Amino acid sequence: MDLVSGYKGVVGLVFGNENSGSNEDSYVERLLDRISNGKLAEDRRSAMIELQAIVAESRGAQLAFGAMGFPVMLAVLKEERDDVEMVRGALETLVGALTPIEHAKGPKNEVQPALMNTDLLSREADSISLLLSLLSEEDFYVRYYTLQLLTALLTNSPNRLQEAILTIPRGITRLMDMLMDREVIRNEALLLLTYLTREAEEIQKIVVFEGAFEKIFSIIKEEGGSEGGVVVQDCLQLLNNLLRTNASNQILLRETMGFDPVISILKLRGSTYNFTQQKTINLLSALETINLLMMGGTEADPGKDANKLTNKATLVQKKVLDHLLLLGVESQWAPVAVRCAALQCIGDLISGQPKNLDTLATKVLGEEPQMEPALNSILRILLRTSSMQEFIAADYVFKSFCEKNFDGQTMLASTLIPQPYSMTHAPFEEDVNMSFGSMLLHGLTLSENDGDLETCCRAASVLSHVLKDNVQCKERVIRIELEPPMPSLGASEPLMHRMVKYMALASSMKNKDGKSSTSGTLYVQPIILKLLVTWLADCPNAVHCFLDSRPHLTYLLELVSNSSATVCTRGLAAVLLGECVIYNKSNDNGKDAFTVVDTISQKLGLTSYFLKFDEMQKSFLFAPVKSAQPRKALTRSTAASMADIEDVDENDSSDQKDEDHPILSAIFDVQFVNLVKKLEGDIRESIVEVYSHPKSKVSVVPAELEQRSGESDGEYIKRLKTFVEKQCSEIQDLLSRNSLLAEDLAKTGGGSNSQPEQRVNGGLDRVQVEKLRRDLQEASQRLEILKTDKAKIESEASMYRNLAGKMESDLKSLSDAYNSLEQANLYLEKELRALKSGGPPTIPDVEAIKAAAREEAQKDSEAELNDLLVCLGQEQSRVEKLSARLLELGEDVDTLLEGIGDDVGLPEEGEEEED
């Protein structure tokens, strides 16, 4: 056999060398040889007895048996069915080989013979089939030891045995038949089926098909219901295995036997004051069955919700609520674990079920004249109990009652009527005749004198459920005013202000023994903060009431920055501050949203403020895993510890100064955690919005801009100038602070990559890009205008240069012609003077000379005159155009031309004289 030979090396390690001839090794080998090869029946039986004894007592013998004994034992079970004693001995030996020897524990890394032998036997071909066939034997002990052997196999190797049983025809049927066997075998079969059906859905269906429900309830009834022993516990655990993840089995139970057999287990029989540990475990198991039916199946099951609704409706019809109220509320002598489980079931039963909610609201407990509504009794338990577990369970009932139950919340809030001062401070025992609301207010306001704020904290948790998502209830409770301790001290105090006062007192809270309680603030302050956060959410009037007292804002700022407070307390205080911004509709100076944001920025700094959110989100209270924790199944190993539970161990939390109290993980449900996360994003966006638009946009013209009566224009202009300068100064101050805010926001978050911070940084980038884009556009427009002006100026300059050149050329031609005439005249004058002075005797022909001169001058000047006439014609046209333009502009042209051209005829007169 390959697997056996594979383990021989292990045997050698335990006993020494394989060839060492260990005494136990050789002894087991000799006994096996006698069993397999012995000739006498008595010798073989005695060898079997000896082998059974040594295997049950020695780890070494167990290991040696595993290496070579299984083929021998299986051969006996196959071939010697007629020899009952040998079959019994073989089965007992196998059970011993698979049972760990507790008194001989070795090192942790040492080979465990029982586990090794279980693996070997389960791998043997047809071993499981062979064992199941033995259940048909008539001998009682054969069937009994076979069940023990199968249980040992299942305990150490469950998956392999489950797979093998599913492949064997009628394998589960044979096990189910054992439930109708004698008591001892029945109990072993129950235990085996409980292990077998834990996580095997196919086996669960087959077991139910084989009539498991009828057999289970028959055994429970036979054993005495909840008063029975461990057999009832095993039956209920098997029932819970069949119902836990199987909606079809739940439907089958509901439509065949119904839920009456389950509910009947909750009925208290015998002495209702006598709760043994086993009775407690049985009741807890039955309550777990009720809880499984209300769950409806697994999350992946598409018909889960419909099945859940039907199960809840059927349970209420069968009066299960009466039994749950008896166990959880009326039977205060019952163990804490049973009371808590019953209250949890009540909360699950009414959650999301309007009819069930109405049924609970109308339930009345007790007998006349001490009858009172069930909700009042549950509230009294919540306020008075010394068990934190019971407080959490009772609080869960109110959470389930108020969740999306507008009418129920309104009904509870309508009873919140302050009692006279004498009743408010009456002993707690006198609250029997109070209404629900009066009892709640009594709990909210009683604690200050007692020096114990725990009762106030519990009442605050209930009030937060009453107010959640219900604006009308919030408005109603805002108007509640408490009587002052002394009427002479002044006006009444709003309930909200009293809650803030108690929250501040919680830091110095003392417990009931009068000693300082360091762990008290770990849950008192956060629970009161939860109430205030819930109260202010989406309720501007609540924000206004909160800010009516100036010290409230200062206290919150101190609490946020208090290093000795827990992470949760600082984070919730930051959320409460943020609500004073996002739900603030006040226009009063000192109470508006801008003032709150400005105070946060000045006192804390936005980086430090937003960091509180990040720290809180990283705490275990806000971890997403918290909501996904399923309830643990009740098993034999956990039942005893569940039955003995009395309270939460607070010693662990008191040693951890920076950790939050474990109770808060139950009080801070998923809905509240999601609300806080939503508020965080809204707060970040709102603070940026407030700084972007620091004041409300109003169209009212300030009085300073209107001219006063009797005020001169100069004085009015001077006053307007002063007003504008003041406004400019304020605007510059705001811009400076906005710049600091932008830088602050850009650094906010402590390294986190939350979406609100990304939006802030993205907004800053967009503002800068937009500003640069506008600057670039304006610069481009100015450049285009300058280019156009430059081209126009260059064109005009070129035109004027051309005109100046042409004028210069014309003037030069006129100057040359004039110079020629001047030279000719000078020459003639010289000749004339020479003639007059007597000159030479020969007198020239003057007339001939003059004629020649004229002819030559005329020839020379004709060309010049032609050019001059052209120029003069052009100048004349310009003069005409200029004259027309001057006339259009209203100028007198004749006046302008006076005196111009008077000297033009002088040269001509000279010429006439010369003539």
Side-chain angles (χ1 to χ4, degrees), residues 60 336 349 881:
V336 173
L349 189 65
K881 289 179 181 180

Side-chain angles (χ1 to χ4, degrees), residues 647-673:
D647 200 359
V648 173
D649 186 7
E650 297 185 16
N651 295 327
D652 295 338
S653 63
S654 62
D655 296 335
Q656 301 172 355
K657 295 181 180 179
D658 296 331
E659 293 296 329
D660 294 300
H661 200 281
I663 284 178
L664 296 178
S665 61
I667 299 298
F668 286 10
D669 52 17
V670 179
Q671 292 85 353
F672 180 70
V673 171

Side-chain angles (χ1 to χ4, degrees), residues 3 7 62-63 65-66 70 94-100 112-124 127-128 131 148-161:
L3 288 169
Y7 279 105
Q62 282 186 342
L63 221 74
F65 176 82
F70 284 113
L94 288 171
V95 171
L98 270 60
T99 304
Q112 300 296 322
L115 295 178
M116 184 187 74
N117 292 341
T118 301
D119 186 62
L120 281 172
L121 182 57
S122 63
R123 289 176 183 270
E124 281 283 354
S127 61
I128 308 299
L131 292 175
Q148 281 194 326
L149 186 56
L150 287 170
T151 302
L153 277 172
L154 188 61
T155 303
N156 297 330
S157 183
N159 294 332
R160 192 171 296 162
L161 185 60

